[in-house]
Each structure stands twice: as structure tokens, then as C-alpha cells.
Amino acid sequence: MEAQTRVAELGEPFRRFGEWMERAMAAGVAEPTAMALATADAEGRPSVRMVLLKGFDERGFVFYTNLESRKGRELTANPHAALCIFWQPLELQVRIEGPVQPVSDAEADEYYASRARGSRIGAWASMQSRPLPSYDALMASVQEYEARFTGESIPRPPHWSGFRLDPARIEFWQGRPSRLHERERFDRDPADAARWQVQNLYP
């Protein structure tokens, strides 16, 4: 039997993602915005870590980082990434792949200003992914920046911002008995970026 392909409008997978996110939050899933972020360096060597989703819409999925961290450097050298979000208690998973672009300075400023003061200090104090002599050295750096910004607003560091992954592919996975899981994949239509080609996949 030949697999059937249907066409979907741009907003369909984003609406479904939003519905699943709401289900995860309503169910009390721990850290419902936690997701695995996979990157690769200029030679194609992969790495993966957990980050938090900080926003999404039809433009893509947003997360923030120190631009001088390993993931920041890899995304600059090779601006493509993959995300995976798994809400285990609900047996729901979403996989997202595509190119990434930096968010605007205005977006980064707005999100940075919403962070707790300690997290804003930490963005200045931590040379993320660099060798650390000791935890005491980190705490000394924190104290240095706390003193520097005493009684002041804390500006966003020039090395701290965000990325938006513009999905070329989104796959929705639902767990089913006997590992006969449901998988539906949305691929951006090469002839029309406002549409998706949608197929069901064998588990």
C-alpha cells in the first residue's frame, strides 16, 4: 500500500504543539518546557544537552544561552539544530529539526529582563563551558558582579542572547500498546513555505 501524503497549512503543527504543551502543563508534568537540543560543530560532530523552551509561534521555537558556550559556538558555526520534547507521563513526544537564527536584540532584552536577579547575575559571572578552577572561583565572580550592579538594573551581557529554530520538519509521536506508536511527520513544502506535506510513519 502506498503511503498517503496530505497538505497542511502553516499553523497546524504549531497549534497541535500548543495543545500538547497545555496538556502537559495541566497534567503537572515536571519541567514541561524542558527539551533536548542537538547541535553539531563545523566538522559535523554532534552534541546534545537539555535546555528550556522560552517561546514558540509560527516563526519557530526559541531558547536562550551564552553565545560563547559550546552550543552557542556550534550554532554560530553550523546554524542547524534538532529539538526533542518528551512528556513521558502522557506518552507524547515532539521532534523538531531546522535552521536556526539569532533572536532580535529587543526579544533578548525583554526575556533577560524577566529573569530573576540571580539568574541575570549568573549570566555575567559564568564563562559557560570554559574550564573552571574551582566552585569558589565561580562564587567569587558572582560576588564581583553583585557588587558591580548593587542598586542598579542589570543589563543583558553582550555574550548572552537567544536562537530561534525555524522548523523544516516536525514529528508528533504518541505512545500506543505493543510499541505500535502513532507517528505523524510534517515536512515544509519545498514549493510553498506556508504549507506542510504530512505523512504517517511506521513506528
Side-chain angles (χ1 to χ4, degrees), residues 124-150:
W124 281 96
S126 174
M127 295 186 289
Q128 192 174 11
S129 300
R130 306 294 174 86
L132 175 66
S134 68
Y135 196 73
D136 287 343
L138 175 60
M139 291 299 97
S141 182
V142 168
Q143 291 172 3
E144 174 188 342
Y145 283 104
E146 285 178 338
R148 174 176 169 181
F149 294 119
T150 298

Side-chain angles (χ1 to χ4, degrees), residues 54-72:
K54 291 301 180 180
F56 72 93
D57 56 25
E58 292 183 2
R59 297 174 298 164
F61 298 80
V62 175
F63 55 93
Y64 289 87
T65 188
N66 184 318
L67 301 178
E68 297 173 354
S69 66
R70 180 177 179 182
K71 60 182 172 297

Side-chain angles (χ1 to χ4, degrees), residues 18-194:
E19 291 167 358
W20 283 19
M21 177 65 76
E22 289 178 2
R23 285 178 61 184
M25 296 177 73
V29 173
E31 294 288 3
T33 63
M35 58 187 184
L37 166 66
T39 59
D41 63 17
E43 285 72 47
R45 292 172 297 206
S47 63
V48 66
R49 77 288 291 158
M50 300 302 293
V51 299
L52 297 179
L53 176 66
K54 291 301 180 180
F56 72 93
D57 56 25
E58 292 183 2
R59 297 174 298 164
F61 298 80
V62 175
F63 55 93
Y64 289 87
T65 188
N66 184 318
L67 301 178
E68 297 173 354
S69 66
R70 180 177 179 182
K71 60 182 172 297
R73 296 194 307 270
E74 289 184 348
L75 288 169
T76 299
N78 182 3
H80 299 270
L83 303 170
C84 182
I85 301 180
F86 182 42
W87 297 295
Q88 189 276 332
L90 302 178
E91 291 194 86
L92 298 176
Q93 176 180 256
V94 184
R95 298 169 61 190
I96 306 163
E97 304 168 28
V100 299
Q101 294 182 340
V103 301
S104 68
D105 287 343
E107 288 176 281
D109 288 342
E110 181 179 6
Y111 172 67
Y112 182 79
S114 74
R115 303 180 92 204
R117 184 177 179 85
S119 296
R120 283 178 279 162
I121 289 288
W124 281 96
S126 174
M127 295 186 289
Q128 192 174 11
S129 300
R130 306 294 174 86
L132 175 66
S134 68
Y135 196 73
D136 287 343
L138 175 60
M139 291 299 97
S141 182
V142 168
Q143 291 172 3
E144 174 188 342
Y145 283 104
E146 285 178 338
R148 174 176 169 181
F149 294 119
T150 298
E152 300 179 13
S153 62
I154 305 170
R156 177 173 62 89
H159 57 263
W160 192 95
S161 190
F163 291 95
R164 175 178 285 104
L165 190 154
D166 180 13
R169 171 174 290 175
I170 304 176
E171 181 186 317
F172 294 90
W173 177 100
Q174 298 186 63
R176 291 289 184 259
S178 302
R179 298 189 180 275
L180 300 176
H181 311 308
E182 292 185 35
R183 298 174 63 189
E184 189 172 27
R185 189 180 71 198
F186 290 70
D187 288 289
R188 190 83 71 164
D189 190 329
D192 184 352

